[in-house]
Amino acid sequence: MEEGVGADRLAAAIEIARRAGALALERFNARETLVVEQKRHVTDLVSEADREVETLIRLAVSEAFPQDAQLGEEHGLSAGRSGLIWVIDPIDGTAPYLNGLPGWCVSIAVCDEEGPVVGVIYAPVLDELYTASRGGGAFLNGEPLRALDGDLRAGLLGVGANDRVDSARVGHMLAALMDAGAAWVRYGSGALMLAWVAAGRLSGYAEPRMSAWDCMAGYALIIEAGGCVRSFPTGEGLQQPAPVLGACAGAYDELVRICDFGSSPDW
Ligand code: 2AM
Ligand code: CA
């Protein structure tokens, strides 16, 4: 990658995430007027707002970086030729969003073959803007972030699970975490909970099956805040769901063992 590519994309991603967040917030404040579709489950929803916000983001990216590929939750893949791909979740935490809860965000990452180059997460209701670029550090509203210094029990642990994963296995994972003394919480937006790992608010975050748009921006933040992440497939693999695990360095290995994602292809 040529020098300065990340800096351009970071500045653009911040500006675009703020505009996308403002539109999402406007729709959130009038959410009773939104047309909502249930995809598979009461936690798997999509609204006009998700589609409209992703369209705003994609048009802005196409205008600024027409050579870059894009992959978004609602509008899929569009090819590029720069080796960089924008990975977009217009609203992560659609279920909290549509139920009037504050825990949702816009998540935008730019990735290359090695993983995330840039990550931006904007939570409009909380007025929190998380930003990171490879080698450039992670920040919350401009203040530097560090992951927790401690083990799994040094703070709360974020967890997530959706209706596509085996409920009995989720039960076993939660039981094993409790037996290990972990105090788990679920907030409904995987991206935002990954940002909270970077911010030292959570010791880690584990979810058996997530998509790239749910986790790549959060991963950029955790890596830059000194934490560890389970690598997500790149290239074609970016389009398939995979287990997600991000944690402070002192909790990571224990979480890998307890969650056992590596040997569980049937999650
Ligand atoms: P979303 O709100 O963008 O759909 C919560 O556990 C996390 O799982 C959120 O990041 C949520 O993202 C995601 N999620 C919800 N349903 C999902 C599904 N069926 N497959 C993959 N991820 C899902
Ligand atoms: Ca979404």
Side-chain angles (χ1 to χ4, degrees):
M1 200 177 67
E2 70 213 67
E3 246 183 58
V5 170
D8 281 11
R9 267 74 174 180
L10 176 62
I14 290 171
E15 198 263 325
I16 295 167
R18 282 197 181 279
R19 280 207 281 136
L23 175 60
L25 184 60
E26 198 181 307
R27 297 289 181 269
F28 177 78
N29 288 330
R31 63 193 165 278
E32 64 285 351
T33 65
L34 289 173
V35 176
V36 179
E37 285 165 44
Q38 189 166 312
K39 289 184 187 165
R40 295 167 39 88
H41 188 254
V42 71
T43 61
D44 192 12
L45 305 167
V46 64
S47 74
E48 296 164 90
D50 299 76
R51 297 199 175 104
E52 204 184 338
V53 174
E54 185 168 320
T55 298
L56 179 156
I57 296 169
R58 294 180 86 110
L59 286 174
V61 172
S62 299
E63 199 170 307
F65 302 104
Q67 66 278 37
D68 292 357
Q70 299 183 27
L71 175 66
E73 177 168 18
E74 312 305 341
H75 299 301
L77 178 70
S78 57
R81 54 196 146 72
S82 63
L84 293 171
I85 181 164
W86 291 67
V87 182
I88 302 158
D89 195 344
I91 299 173
D92 185 70
T94 299
Y97 179 91
L98 292 174
N99 285 286
L101 298 172
W104 53 272
C105 61
V106 176
S107 176
I108 301 177
V110 185
C111 301
D112 65 13
E113 272 295 322
E114 275 148 41
V117 180
V118 160
V120 173
I121 288 179
Y122 180 45
V125 178
L126 310 175
D127 193 24
E128 292 188 341
L129 177 74
Y130 294 86
T131 62
S133 61
R134 189 183 286 162
F139 301 86
L140 165 53
N141 292 341
E143 295 298 318
L145 296 180
R146 287 309 293 170
L148 272 182
D149 182 14
D151 69 7
L152 179 56
R153 289 150 293 271
L156 298 171
L157 173 75
V159 294
N162 61 63
D163 65 297
R164 287 178 192 260
V165 300
D166 183 69
S167 54
R169 298 206 62 165
V170 176
H172 285 304
M173 181 179 91
L174 295 179
L177 288 168
M178 291 172 78
D179 289 344
W184 52 264
V185 292
R186 184 181 187 190
Y187 205 73
S189 163
L192 195 51
M193 282 190 282
L194 288 166
W196 290 345
V197 175
R201 296 177 182 177
L202 297 173
S203 61
Y205 182 73
E207 176 149 1
R209 187 186 194 277
M210 275 173 108
S211 298
W213 47 80
D214 300 317
C215 69
M216 294 311 279
Y219 269 16
L221 287 154
I222 293 174
I223 294 164
E224 288 300 316
C228 302
V229 300
R230 182 189 202 277
S231 64
F232 198 91
T234 58
E236 301 258 305
L238 203 57
Q239 294 175 63
Q240 303 304 322
V244 164
L245 183 53
C248 63
Y252 186 77
D253 290 343
E254 189 175 357
L255 279 172
V256 168
R257 278 196 302 279
I258 294 173
C259 297
D260 196 22
F261 292 148
S263 58
S264 309
D266 56 336
W267 268 104

